[in-house]
Amino acid sequence: MAATGSEKQGTKAFYVTTPIYYVNDAPHLGHAYTTVAGDVLTRWHRQRGEKVWYLTGTDEHGQKIMRTAEANNVTPQAWCDKLVEEAWKPLWEHLNIANDDFIRTTQKRHTDRVQEFVQDLYDKDEIYKGGYEGPYCVGCEEFKLPGDLVEAEDGTKLCPVHKRPVEILKEENYFFKLSAYGPKLLEFYEANPGFIQPESARNEVVNFVKQGLDDLSISRSTFDWGIPVPWDEKHVIYVWIDALLNYATAVGYNENPAKFEETFPADVHLIGKDILRFHAVIWPAMLMAQGLPVPGRVAANGWLMVGGEKMSKSNLTGIKPQDLTSHFGVDAYRWYFLRAIAFGQDGSFSWEDFTARYTSELANDYGNLASRVAAMVGKYFGGELPASAADGDAEKAIQDGLAAAVAVADAKIGEELDFQAGILAIFDFVKQVNGYITEQEPWKVAKDESEEGRARLATILYTAAESLRAVAVLLNPIMPETSQALWDSLGAEASLGALASQPVQDAATWGQLPAGATVTKGAVLFPRLEEPKKD
């Protein structure tokens, strides 16, 4: 049985991937949702002090890309180059995505290795020549099972994902002996119950495999926009075989053994649920056939819904991420979708919900807390953080609340991929600190100019500032720009060093922010929203 990623110890990097995205059009919110989730996850692990590798990229072969390019009167390569350089890469930079690599399936480092992988399977008698006829969805680049199709009112058979008619294709193709791996996959799922998440996705895959697997067509012969089959160049390699192999080719498969050993397999594949079977059935079977280790986890996120429909270009509900970042800001964008939607479930987006959460949680709870604390340290102590006197029960409650928030956030975000629960734990602590300030009323304590009064005021403000120090650390993987602004406002850069070097798991260690730190009131972290412009 192949080894899982969790069994490889030592210097292996924590390796996270997004799907490689089709470049038939510009990215929308659904693409950005998965990519931001991967960025938050990998930033969190980096801030644990771990070695991390984060991969994203683009899928540039296949019939869908070819037809899109033809419709735009350009070559497929020219179309891919334009979309990658003018749309995909700029968006990831705009959203502060800190990926370590960007793989394109038209790159030689990928195409050569794909041919070698497939040739190896052919030489091992895992691939044979045969014929196939069946319904094919160009949008999914997938032969569909008859039972998967939905029927239109006129009786036309439609793809259940794209709601478009399928094409009946008949070709002579090469086939991978996928059917032989059904029992091995079921044994693997049983031994590794956390391999597929969420549980509903796991159940779907297990039930699918239990029904019996058909061999997989791994070549196409009716068009030529793809990687040639090395032993028969009349065929090109099926785009999904090509695409899945990016997770191996990008980290040195058959090219850089040291890099491959310290990175592969992925610890987490983040995917959309519509490509679950490719990643949870076909991909591990391919790896088993090649004697390579199987990934640690395949985590399927749900769909973003607008008006009850899955967000996509094909149903015209695609929204540009820049439409939102221009109004709410990049950090709020990164925060909102992971805060509002439980990862792994479908979730609905609306301007009204985003606006309400931004105003209540970011501007009023978090941003206002940061502004009030900095203003009071400036007003009462000339901007110099005072030393805390004796902590009382109220302060101990804050310290306990922080310890609980760190423990929950680290477990939920770092291990369980429950971003929503982790973020809620952090913001519950923010609410607790707000409540502490309301109850302690430092503005009233400040009127007591006695030594005891000044000491009490110092303790309250130190407690609030030290709490914000921890919040900046915890929110840095999610909202790096505003976290850095808060870090600077607290004078933490000069006394504690770079924010990104602060371990998230140690954020609850109390007393890290030193007395005497220069606290300044910077720009408002989350400005009041203006009315969105109407076209």
Side-chain angles (χ1 to χ4, degrees), residues 207-266:
N207 290 335
F208 174 74
V209 176
K210 282 183 176 179
Q211 294 173 14
L213 297 176
D214 293 329
D215 289 344
L216 176 70
S217 172
I218 60 103
S219 73
R220 298 290 308 278
S221 58
T222 54
F223 62 91
D224 62 1
W225 181 238
I227 302 173
V229 170
W231 64 87
D232 186 347
E233 294 200 352
K234 296 177 184 176
H235 294 251
V236 294
I237 296 168
Y238 175 42
V239 67
W240 266 106
I241 300 298
D242 168 358
L244 289 165
L245 281 166
N246 92 90
Y247 305 130
T249 63
V251 294
Y253 171 75
N254 262 17
E255 186 174 29
N256 186 338
K259 173 71 175 176
F260 191 70
E261 177 65 24
E262 69 185 16
T263 311
F264 195 83

Side-chain angles (χ1 to χ4, degrees), residues 176-381:
F176 167 56
K177 296 178 179 178
L178 180 64
S179 60
Y181 288 89
K184 296 177 184 179
L185 287 168
L186 291 173
E187 180 184 347
F188 176 74
Y189 302 150
E190 180 70 23
N192 299 275
F195 173 65
I196 305 169
Q197 294 182 344
E199 187 175 356
S200 58
R202 181 182 187 277
N203 292 339
E204 174 193 327
V205 169
V206 170
N207 290 335
F208 174 74
V209 176
K210 282 183 176 179
Q211 294 173 14
L213 297 176
D214 293 329
D215 289 344
L216 176 70
S217 172
I218 60 103
S219 73
R220 298 290 308 278
S221 58
T222 54
F223 62 91
D224 62 1
W225 181 238
I227 302 173
V229 170
W231 64 87
D232 186 347
E233 294 200 352
K234 296 177 184 176
H235 294 251
V236 294
I237 296 168
Y238 175 42
V239 67
W240 266 106
I241 300 298
D242 168 358
L244 289 165
L245 281 166
N246 92 90
Y247 305 130
T249 63
V251 294
Y253 171 75
N254 262 17
E255 186 174 29
N256 186 338
K259 173 71 175 176
F260 191 70
E261 177 65 24
E262 69 185 16
T263 311
F264 195 83
D267 293 85
V268 181
H269 286 308
L270 296 175
I271 62 166
K273 65 179 183 180
D274 51 334
I275 56 175
L276 175 63
R277 292 179 187 175
F278 296 106
H279 287 81
V281 179
I282 297 172
W283 178 227
M286 289 166 57
L287 294 171
M288 289 175 180
Q290 196 68 295
L292 292 172
V294 175
R297 193 174 352 175
V298 173
N301 61 254
W303 286 338
L304 293 185
M305 315 292 284
V306 174
E309 290 287 333
K310 177 196 173 188
M311 187 174 295
S312 67
K313 289 294 182 183
S314 60
N315 64 19
L316 303 181
T317 56
I319 298 175
K320 293 179 182 178
Q322 294 91 333
D323 295 340
L324 300 182
T325 59
S326 63
H327 183 63
F328 296 100
V330 170
D331 269 12
Y333 176 96
R334 289 170 58 95
W335 166 86
Y336 170 74
F337 289 98
L338 298 181
R339 159 65 183 90
I341 300 169
F343 196 79
Q345 299 179 18
D346 293 346
S348 295
F349 161 78
S350 73
W351 280 87
E352 293 77 12
D353 184 62
F354 199 158
T355 300
R357 293 183 190 275
Y358 177 101
T359 302
S360 173
E361 297 178 44
L362 293 185
N364 293 349
D365 287 350
Y366 178 32
N368 191 43
L369 172 63
S371 295
R372 292 169 73 197
V373 171
M376 287 189 286
V377 172
K379 180 177 181 180
Y380 302 129
F381 292 94

Side-chain angles (χ1 to χ4, degrees), residues 19-25 56-62 64-65 79-80 84 88 102-106 110 139-141 225 227 238-244 246 275:
I20 50 171
Y21 302 108
Y22 279 129
V23 289
N24 59 310
D25 213 325
T56 189
T58 45
D59 187 359
E60 303 181 11
H61 289 130
K64 180 163 61 174
I65 302 298
W79 176 258
C80 294
V84 168
W88 290 87
F102 189 101
I103 183 81
R104 298 181 58 183
T105 57
T106 53
H110 175 75
C140 293
E141 294 282 13
W225 181 238
I227 302 173
Y238 175 42
V239 67
W240 266 106
I241 300 298
D242 168 358
L244 289 165
N246 92 90
I275 56 175

